[in-house]
Amino acid sequence: QQQLPDPGLPRTSSSPPELQGPLYATTFADPSILKGKPMYTRILVAAAAAGGLALALRVLTGSKELTWRDFLALSSNTDDEILDAVAFTSRFVAAERAMESARPDALFHDPYAERLGGQTGKNFSKKFADHTEWNPIFNWREYHVTWMAVRTKYIDDKMNAFAAKWKQQQKSFQIVSLGAGLDARAFRMDCLRDSCRGFFEIDVKEVNAAKFNAMTRMQATALCPLVTLAVDLAKSEIKPALLAGGFDISKPTFWLMEGLTMYLTPEVNASILGQIQQFQASAPQALCCGFLGETKNAGVPFHKAPTEMHDWVVDFGFINCKVSNFGDPELNYGRYPATRPPEATNCFLYATSD
């Protein structure tokens, strides 16, 4: 397998001439930097398509009438210089991570979220809150910003536990984030230091380019080797891109699908899990996956009842699997109203193959 630079070495956001351009997200140095001769890992660019934005907006707002023109009216980014509008939905969730980070009782701290979200993300968060206040599906103004805080904390906890397990055994590990968007975990999670041999982020090239521009302007430094791959998950397999990007099949790997499954067809989701299953024979795999569980979300390409999702994931070789609904003890953190029963519109599962 292609070797990645050792974790903990200095990173640089400047690219050699052959890697310059909007499609290359990250470069990093190997030990030869100590000799003044930095080497760089080439970022694989595998596909080119954004898509899915109109669907994403329908899922977020519950509206079947929201048009592209409506979207632009909600999301003008003329006051923002750091990101392009193509990353709009990612900016929405980044802005809500910033809102949580600013609380005195914050569940986590994301120092990059405010600039990644920008005014565009804040504006749409407010619009969405206005919508959820009267939407009969949610009927709770703080629904989405609370969900974002809880799901971020849930993922952070799972990633921390995964890292601690393999560090205790003095083994290195990998992270793969599918549909990574503007997530900044590679830059803020201390558990990645020293033992994470590679953090692989996969998204479409437009979002990757926007994130690269943003993190470069903030002079952000990844806490482990970071490889960003441009792959259209709806059309292309992930395995070839990962292997070409330096993925090591012999290393335990944490797979993150934070807000992705509902935008992909059942066939594509099954293909992704099938590819992850192929790695199980070589090393333990862990899956942290969000999904929509209520049948009232039948308008999206993918949803499964929690028990059905559990059994479906187990069929792909994961022997330990736990599903939690928003509001359950493990997906709550004291933020979910005590008088409101847990609901399966938003769910998460964590599964391991060992």
Side-chain angles (χ1 to χ4, degrees), residues 246-265:
F247 183 85
D248 188 342
I249 64 173
S250 70
K251 300 297 183 182
T253 302
F254 181 102
W255 298 82
L256 175 59
M257 301 174 71
E258 182 169 2
L260 177 66
T261 58
M262 62 286 297
Y263 304 134
L264 303 176
T265 65

Side-chain angles (χ1 to χ4, degrees), residues 160-215:
N160 277 320
F162 177 86
K165 173 182 177 179
W166 296 110
K167 283 185 178 182
Q168 186 176 25
Q169 299 182 37
Q170 298 184 331
K171 293 182 178 180
S172 61
F173 58 88
Q174 301 170 133
I175 308 290
V176 179
S177 179
L178 302 176
L182 300 180
D183 175 52
R185 286 187 175 87
F187 299 86
R188 68 173 181 85
M189 294 287 289
D190 285 337
C191 68
L192 302 176
R193 297 181 188 273
D194 303 325
S195 297
C196 182
R197 75 167 297 276
F199 196 118
F200 298 82
E201 295 185 332
I202 297 181
D203 213 312
V204 295
K205 65 176 184 179
E206 293 87 351
V207 173
N208 290 347
K211 184 175 180 179
F212 171 65
N213 291 337
M215 304 313 282

Side-chain angles (χ1 to χ4, degrees), residues 106-133:
L107 297 175
F108 57 88
H109 181 62
D110 186 339
Y112 306 101
E114 183 172 6
R115 291 187 67 185
L116 289 171
Q119 193 58 46
T120 294
K122 293 177 184 178
N123 290 346
F124 190 74
S125 178
K126 182 180 184 303
K127 291 282 187 181
F128 187 67
D130 292 342
H131 174 84
T132 55
E133 190 170 18

